[in-house]
Amino acid sequence: MTNELHPYQDRKKLKWNGFYLSEHTSQLALEKKERALTWPAKPMMTTEEIGALLREAQIKDRVIALQKEEVDPEGGYSPDIIGKIRGYDELGIYIAEEKIHYDEIRHVAFHTLHKWSDLD
């Protein structure tokens, strides 16, 4: 027996879809903007150059900017990985909780962090 006096109410579940959709749309827009940026290919360094710079960065506890030798489907490079060397093993180094294998490194350079107080 159905209750004719109180028909089923939807409880307005559809109104919450707008919140998820706007967050999802903003995330997609951000990802599209990041993909639109193109990162130029930096000069390929030799294994000796990379090793010397990584040793110096480790000893002096300096921040480095590292470009990986990987391209996206459009042929563009990903942004530099910036940070201090947190550790290493025989296969690669750890920067900012990410392991980068030695054979994946295209270019390494010291990176200077700019303080917000130095900005004009």
Side-chain angles (χ1 to χ4, degrees), residues 98-113:
E98 183 177 350
K99 183 173 184 179
I100 297 109
H101 290 245
Y102 294 122
D103 60 347
E104 294 178 318
I105 300 173
R106 177 180 181 80
H107 186 272
V108 180
F110 291 119
H111 182 74
T112 54
L113 297 173

Side-chain angles (χ1 to χ4, degrees), residues 39-80:
W39 303 98
K42 295 183 178 178
M44 185 71 162
M45 295 175 73
T46 65
T47 306
E48 292 79 21
E49 292 172 324
I50 292 170
L53 209 137
L54 291 177
R55 276 190 297 280
E56 186 177 348
Q58 177 90 29
I59 292 168
K60 295 183 179 179
D61 197 34
R62 300 224 16 217
V63 176
I64 59 170
L66 183 142
Q67 186 177 49
K68 291 174 74 173
E69 182 59 57
E70 66 181 17
V71 292
D72 59 15
E74 289 82 33
Y77 286 88
S78 58
D80 288 351

